[in-house]
Amino acid sequence: MGKSSSKVKTTETSFDIMDVLFEQGGQTVEELETKLGLTNSTVHRHLTTLQGRGYVVKDGSSYRLGFKLLTMGGQLRRNVTAYPMIKAKVDSLAAKTNERVQFIIKEQDERVYLYTQTGESAVQTGAYTGRRGPIHSSAAGKAIIANLPKTERDRLIDSLDLSKTGPNTITDRGELRNALREVRERGYSLNLEESTAGVHAVGAAVRGKNGEVVGALSISGPATRLKGDRLEQELPDAVLGATNELELHIEHA
């Protein structure tokens, strides 16, 4: 790390340890030593500090992440504008469509799943509350970008890493701008195997009282089922109806 860096190495080490515990579950001091290339004393010192603050818990000889992180995440979610209304609408739409429904927010250059629910016919796609991913390759993410103020939208597009995450991910900035213009014109967005092979989705942005983009609602499911009139008419109507209701609730809350 160069002298010009503003990063704090000890803080980074603590987060590296937490990342390993998040990705791989419980770990012993020795396992963390090996995975991170740290000394026993360094790992033990960081774990002791994290344990003392409630971010890490010791089970026998292993350490795991503590539920203090869930407490913090729950509070963050409650701070989102109209979260109880969002949750109720996602639940209702999942029951109505029998598909997976999610509400996504933008954080920096990524999408974050604020809340997700599955209907009776929904398939597992790896989406779960708190999951993050590229914002440009999802229906909800594209709906958010399309409805940002132009200056913010242009800055975001220029900063994105347009790597492929699915067979049809948009990897060209000019093509992405054209796609976002179409989203604004029709009022909703489509994801045709852009984030995951075999999965289609429909999304629309939700605005707050001052016109700001709060996030986006989307319905996703297998491409074999989300096609034809269902993809082009039925689900867009359902998403747009739900987002309009949410905006009315937010406006009059």
Side-chain angles (χ1 to χ4, degrees):
M1 186 168 57
K3 292 182 179 179
S4 63
S5 174
S6 61
K7 296 179 180 178
V8 179
K9 183 60 178 176
T10 54
T11 304
E12 281 203 310
T13 300
S14 289
F15 283 119
D16 287 343
I17 289 172
M18 293 175 70
D19 283 343
V20 172
L21 296 180
F22 172 70
E23 293 165 2
Q24 302 188 28
Q27 301 283 300
T28 64
V29 172
E30 291 73 22
E31 288 171 332
L32 289 167
E33 283 181 58
T34 302
K35 289 181 172 68
L36 295 172
L38 300 171
T39 64
N40 183 286
S41 60
T42 297
V43 172
H44 190 269
R45 186 170 64 250
H46 282 273
L47 286 172
T48 299
T49 301
L50 291 168
Q51 185 181 2
R53 300 300 294 266
Y55 295 104
V56 165
V57 174
K58 187 176 183 182
D59 285 333
S61 61
S62 294
Y63 292 83
R64 63 168 174 81
L65 292 179
F67 283 101
K68 182 173 183 178
L69 293 167
L70 179 61
T71 304
M72 296 171 72
Q75 182 59 50
L76 282 173
R77 191 161 66 173
R78 286 191 295 273
N79 289 341
V80 173
T81 301
Y83 172 70
M85 300 175 194
I86 290 170
K87 180 181 182 300
K89 187 55 64 179
V90 169
D91 289 343
S92 172
L93 200 55
K96 176 182 177 182
T97 63
N98 291 322
E99 302 291 358
R100 175 178 290 279
V101 180
Q102 49 269 319
F103 192 89
I104 287 174
I105 58 173
K106 170 185 171 295
E107 185 169 70
Q108 297 182 328
D109 295 352
E110 293 185 303
R111 71 180 191 270
V112 181
Y113 289 78
L114 183 74
Y115 181 70
T116 180
Q117 186 58 272
T118 55
E120 290 185 1
S121 302
V123 296
Q124 295 300 321
T125 62
Y128 54 86
T129 298
R131 184 184 178 186
R132 311 174 73 91
I135 195 167
H136 70 285
S137 62
S138 74
K142 287 196 294 183
I144 290 173
I145 303 173
N147 287 278
L148 292 173
K150 185 178 185 307
T151 301
E152 185 179 355
R153 182 172 68 246
D154 289 342
R155 181 211 62 77
L156 178 59
I157 293 172
D158 289 338
S159 70
L160 289 174
D161 174 8
L162 301 182
S163 299
K164 288 181 75 70
T165 60
N168 298 324
T169 306
I170 297 174
T171 58
D172 178 79
R173 297 187 202 283
E175 184 181 347
L176 179 58
R177 285 189 168 88
N178 289 336
L180 296 174
R181 183 164 52 250
E182 292 176 4
V183 172
R184 288 192 295 276
E185 289 172 354
R186 67 175 174 241
Y188 65 90
S189 59
L190 295 174
N191 166 7
L192 306 179
E193 297 189 83
E194 293 172 46
S195 58
T196 307
V199 175
H200 286 174
V202 181
V206 174
R207 293 183 177 276
K209 287 185 178 181
N210 299 315
E212 76 282 6
V213 178
V214 175
L217 192 67
S218 67
I219 303 171
S220 59
T224 54
R225 195 160 63 225
L226 271 65
K227 61 182 181 180
D229 288 343
R230 189 155 197 252
L231 179 68
E232 297 168 10
Q233 188 68 48
E234 178 188 336
L235 294 183
D237 286 350
V239 168
L240 290 172
T243 55
N244 287 339
E245 290 176 18
L246 263 178
E247 289 177 343
L248 285 172
H249 285 309
I250 292 172
E251 177 68 26
H252 298 290

